[in-house]
């Protein structure tokens, strides 16, 4: 009886361990292989995207809406805190 229980326990523990193994490639994964034409099209699209990024002008410095509300003088800060 002990042998049967031990075999059953080993079988129960082996199931989850076996489930963690890498599964073989499915047909769907095998069909995802790209043809040279698809690779060429993707490379052309990437080049076009990078070229379009180069054409974007440099951004201006961001506007500071509260810039006028803050003083930049050291004297005014010292008077308020001092």
């Amino acid at each position: 009886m002990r042998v049967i229980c031990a075999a059953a326990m080993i079988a129960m523990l082996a199931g989850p361990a076996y489930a963690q193994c890498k599964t073989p490639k499915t047909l769907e994964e095998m069909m995802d292989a790209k043809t040279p034409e698809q690779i060429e099209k993707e490379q052309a699209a990437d080049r076009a995207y990078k070229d379009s990024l180069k054409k974007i002008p440099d951004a201006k410095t961001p506007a500071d809406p509260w810039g006028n509300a803050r003083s930049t003088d050291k004297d005014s800060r010292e008077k308020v805190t001092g």
Side-chain angles (χ1 to χ4, degrees), residues 5-24:
C5 287
M9 293 297 284
I10 290 172
M12 286 181 180
L13 293 174
Y18 182 73
Q20 293 179 3
C21 294
K22 186 177 179 182
T23 58

Side-chain angles (χ1 to χ4, degrees), residues 5 16 21 25 55 61 71 77-78 81:
C5 287
C21 294
K25 284 190 172 184
K55 293 178 185 177
T61 57
S71 64
R77 285 189 212 153
E78 290 174 2
T81 59

